[in-house]
Amino acid sequence: MPETGATRQSSGWPIGVSEAIPLLGGYIPVAISFGLISAQAGFSTAETLAISALIYAGASQFLFVGMIASGSPLWLTVAMTLLINVRHVVYAPNIAPWLPKSRWWPWLMHGLTDQIFALAHSRLPQLSESQRVGWFFGAAMLAWLSWIAGSLLGAVAGEWLTSRWPLLGEVMPFALPALFLVLIVPRFTSRRWAAALSVSVAAALVCTLVGLTNIGIPLAAACGALCFYMVRLPETLGTDKGTTKERRPS
């Protein structure tokens, strides 16, 4: 019996779920850390879950909780939260060519995190058009639910976990950066991507050294994007000059 359009469109979600499982190693520890910090800042468990479900942005959530707890004006808190997330303006054009038309995208874009973007940028071109919406739904939903679950665990039992296993509290802040590093390393096989990533790293490092830690995220992203679109280099290492075909993972 031939497949219906709906069946073909949703057939990619098990692939998305399975391929997003490695992300949990970075999401859950950082979410636990956020839940713990949120509870220590005076937020209730329900408020912590609402922040993770609705804002759903690691760095922005930590900043939001810290600024609210310190008594910062609400307008400034909202402005800084949005400023950190302005990097998503760079993400959208990079995956838009691979997104088939669907009325679900406005809702699914809530699940576009740094790690989902990196995974989608590599995987969507390899999938059939009928699988892409389902793949994104499966990957994004698993990541979102794991973030909420980790936040709940941190809010309810974070202090107990870190007191029982002190090392856990030391390694949690490094889990998500390490995961993202693993996702972007394959891009260094492209000269153009390597240049853009190097510029982003350098800009972020300079911002950190001069104390501009919050604005460093969007500024570094903007510098990397500017380099990517302005500097024209052969796409892959070892390609002839003028070649623009990018080597894709097998």
Side-chain angles (χ1 to χ4, degrees), residues 15-98:
I15 304 174
V17 170
S18 63
E19 293 182 348
I21 289 176
L23 300 181
L24 305 191
Y27 272 55
I28 293 177
V30 180
I32 292 174
S33 178
F34 169 73
L36 173 59
I37 290 174
S38 180
Q40 291 174 340
F43 288 84
S44 67
T45 300
E47 290 170 336
T48 298
L49 291 179
I51 293 171
S52 283
L54 300 177
I55 298 180
Y56 186 42
S60 296
Q61 289 184 213
F62 283 99
L63 177 69
F64 179 85
V65 166
M67 293 186 70
I68 291 293
S70 65
S72 298
L74 182 60
W75 70 267
L76 181 60
T77 302
V78 173
M80 290 302 298
T81 301
L82 292 175
L83 180 62
I84 289 180
N85 284 327
V86 78
R87 66 190 186 278
H88 287 263
V89 175
V90 180
Y91 292 167
N94 277 279
I95 63 171
W98 308 111

Side-chain angles (χ1 to χ4, degrees), residues 6 8 39 43 64 107-108 123 137 146 148 151 181 200 207 220:
R8 289 196 302 270
F43 288 84
F64 179 85
W107 303 98
L108 292 176
R123 287 294 289 128
F137 170 80
S146 70
I148 295 173
S151 299
L181 182 62
S200 296
C207 289

